[in-house]
Amino acid sequence: MENGKIYVIGLGPGGRAQMTERAVRALEKCGCIAGYGLYLELIAGLIEGKERIETGMTREIDRCKAARDAALSGKTVALVSSGDAGVYGMAGPLLEVSAGYEIDIEIIPGITAACSGGALLGSPLTCDFACVSLSGLLTPWEVIERRLRGAAAGDFAIALYNPASKKRTDALPRACAILLETLPPETVCGLVRSIGREGESRALTTLGELAAQPCDMLTTVFIGNSATRVIDGWMVTPRGYRGV
Ligand code: SAH
């Protein structure tokens, strides 16, 4: 039997409106959909009647292997991630577990939270920026600290993914303390929650106040660079043109 194909699909932050046409078309072609339950719910209308491979949040490798094996049995499979599948998503692990197998793989990019959240706040990432995940699940905290210090030293604007979870509530305060070693407390910051989903919200604050802001696993946090300012309620990192 011929091997099938795996489409690794970034779904964007939530909802059909922020998915690409290419992602929607690929989903239509797939008879089997693999992904975290919450994401499958977000696209329920698009995958009605299709076979589902669901595993819990922390069983990503099992999910990738199940997707690979389904493709090896001849199926056309979608492996879905929220946002972009290559940004803290399933594209890397899928490529790793598929190494050496003859499977056709196509990776379809999606709008990552840094972009969809940045658009809600204004334009915080206009110039050079860094993304840092505060999840210590796969990255030792010392490494996260080193990256935060590096981003602050380089005057990068920063998008923080995974700033908290139910069990992990101290990551954002710890990150703030590290950034405050270098950056002034007035540094403009923003938080977005549930982008593109019910209850979407945005808030502006400063680095000095950031640690006290409510945040959870559906929040993405933005820290401006030394030039970032608030203009009419927007978080703006100037591009640097003269005369504006
Ligand atoms: N692949 C995803 C990121 C997965 S890591 C992407 O490219 O966006 C999970 C983290 O992403 C969350 O903790 C949060 O920080 C961010 N995130 C993903 N979807 C989000 C949404 N709809 N609203 C706000 N933050 C989101």
Side-chain angles (χ1 to χ4, degrees), residues 120-122 202 204 229-236:
L120 274 179
L121 289 169
R202 76 195 276 278
L204 293 179
R229 44 186 217 272
V230 178
I231 303 175
D232 292 341
W234 296 106
M235 179 175 177
V236 182

Side-chain angles (χ1 to χ4, degrees), residues 4 12 72 77 87 96 104 107 109 133 146 150 156-158 170 220 223 238:
L72 286 173
V77 186
V87 180
E96 289 180 275
D104 190 6
I107 302 170
S133 166
R146 179 152 53 87
F156 286 90
I158 306 170
D170 64 339
T220 302
I223 294 146

Side-chain angles (χ1 to χ4, degrees), residues 13 82-84 87-88 112-113 161-163 194-195 197 217-220:
S82 77
D84 182 80
V87 180
Y88 314 116
T112 189
Y161 287 66
N162 295 303
S194 283
I195 308 159
R197 304 178 193 170
M217 63 190 293
L218 285 177
T219 308
T220 302

